[in-house]
Amino acid sequence: MPDPNPRRRRRALFAAVAGALALTAGAGLLLWSDTDVLGRERFCRGALGSAEVRAVLGGPGRLEEGGGPDGAGPASSFACDVRRADGLLGGGRPRMRAELAFERADFAFSAPLRGAGPAAGLYFVGGATGAASETQAWVLLPGGCAGGPPDSRPGRVPVLTLGLSGGRGEPTALAKAAMSAARHAAEVLGCRDAGMLRTPARLQGPVGADDPASTCEVPGFRLPEAALVPGKAERGTSRVTGRGSRTRACEVRLRGPGEPRITLTVSDDPALTRGVRGDAEATAASGRTVVACSSGDLYLGMSHDEAYGNLLRAQGGDAYGKALAAVFDSFRRAVVEDRGCGPGR
């Protein structure tokens, strides 16, 4: 039976229309805040495409850039953050930081160990020089970049790094995004030999290496007694990245409180050896050197974590310097003999 009150009918109709509009607006707002509909196509001065960023920062949430290089600062050095917006539902979401800076060519191997360490990375095979993991990726840019900063120190090379915080991603996705950003940066900087930035054929991860007679799969190498502290740092296990990559990193994890770690690296990658040869600070005494081999230059590097460094310092005297020098000298001699190389630079 029809409602005899037309005013009440109009109120009901207005309420229905208003409810439908509210639902539509709410759905539109949710779509806007939790997806990339009509969002940006490029980020970080065009260095990263939205598809690459989405592959790294999986899940819902609109892509946003913050604290980036847009508007000021030289193109030769920048840091840029991209994240998934929290949206209407709230909750923290991953954030990716892209950074272009001039560093040591072996910055990934000569710095104090933090986090998982170089031996946990997946290294590029058959292309550019770099590595990736679930939380970071880095790529060395070609040398001879005309657009470098005027205050860059001798021996420093351009490096593109990506770091992921608040979550984990696929190493292949981080590697792809880092490669794209590195190519863009090389073009902006006017780097020569951009052919160095070829897409790697694959990523080579770590494998087991627990032979005590050939630590780090180097025949005849084992940690010297000077590197050990009874009951606190004794011989343990090691793992090394596979042979597919031109760069191999080995982590020696000692038995003792805090599981002290030492990382040893070998590389015949020209991008790495050339960069280190141009660095006046690269000496055998500092745990970094380049040796000449019949097949070309070979880089050798060593680093350690805070637990091992603190333990050695606690022994007093010159235990710290003696232990590190003994490890690196033993490692260098074993590699040189194995590969038939000359003395360090």
Side-chain angles (χ1 to χ4, degrees):
M1 181 176 179
D3 190 334
N5 190 331
R7 180 176 296 178
R8 187 165 59 189
R9 287 201 306 271
R10 286 195 298 271
R11 284 201 301 266
L13 178 60
F14 290 155
V17 171
L21 290 175
L23 286 174
T24 301
L29 182 58
L30 182 61
L31 181 67
W32 173 265
S33 65
D34 242 25
T35 70
D36 296 316
V37 173
L38 300 179
R40 294 176 57 169
E41 291 298 321
R42 307 292 301 181
F43 296 87
C44 302
R45 279 188 178 158
L48 289 167
S50 58
E52 296 155 347
V53 176
R54 284 197 298 270
V56 174
L57 299 176
R62 192 168 189 78
L63 293 176
E64 296 180 342
E65 180 177 328
D70 290 344
S76 59
S77 181
F78 72 81
C80 170
D81 292 325
V82 185
R83 70 181 183 94
R84 290 284 192 184
D86 288 345
L88 296 179
L89 301 180
R93 290 176 178 167
R95 179 189 303 269
M96 181 176 67
R97 184 173 181 84
E99 188 167 0
L100 173 65
F102 280 66
E103 306 279 1
R104 289 177 170 180
D106 62 337
F107 80 102
F109 313 112
S110 60
L113 288 176
R114 291 184 176 85
L122 283 73
Y123 289 83
F124 294 2
V125 177
T129 301
S133 69
E134 293 181 335
T135 57
Q136 62 184 349
W138 60 268
V139 180
L140 290 186
L141 272 66
C145 299
D151 59 347
S152 178
R153 296 172 62 184
R156 297 304 194 256
V157 298
V159 181
L160 193 291
T161 60
L162 291 183
L164 185 63
S165 59
R168 295 183 177 272
E170 287 291 332
T172 52
L174 269 80
K176 183 177 180 180
M179 282 296 303
S180 177
R183 290 192 182 104
H184 180 87
E187 181 178 351
V188 171
L189 294 177
C191 301
R192 300 193 304 268
D193 194 15
M196 285 177 54
L197 295 177
R198 299 189 311 276
T199 301
R202 61 187 176 88
L203 302 180
Q204 173 66 60
V207 297
D210 290 338
D211 183 356
S214 299
T215 304
C216 298
E217 293 189 349
V218 177
F221 171 63
R222 66 200 306 261
L223 289 181
E225 291 296 327
L228 307 176
V229 180
K232 297 180 179 179
E234 299 182 340
R235 288 189 177 88
T237 60
S238 66
R239 65 172 177 177
V240 63
T241 53
R243 294 183 179 274
S245 173
R246 304 191 71 163
T247 298
R248 302 194 77 197
C250 173
E251 178 184 87
V252 181
R253 191 176 291 266
L254 302 171
R255 289 190 295 113
E259 293 190 322
R261 293 179 295 154
I262 304 170
T263 289
L264 300 159
T265 309
V266 179
S267 179
D268 61 0
D269 190 320
L272 186 59
T273 58
R274 281 198 303 264
V276 176
R277 274 208 178 275
D279 186 348
E281 297 176 1
T283 63
S286 66
R288 312 162 61 217
T289 193
V290 176
V291 298
C293 303
S294 58
S295 58
D297 282 347
L298 188 70
Y299 165 80
L300 303 172
M302 178 183 71
S303 57
H304 60 82
D305 69 352
E306 186 176 358
Y308 187 60
N310 289 342
L311 175 61
L312 293 179
R313 293 185 185 95
Q315 305 311 302
D318 55 359
Y320 179 85
K322 280 187 175 180
L324 297 183
V327 173
F328 189 66
D329 185 59
S330 177
F331 176 65
R332 180 183 58 80
R333 284 189 284 106
V335 172
V336 164
E337 183 176 347
D338 180 49
R339 301 207 183 195
C341 306
R345 64 192 292 271

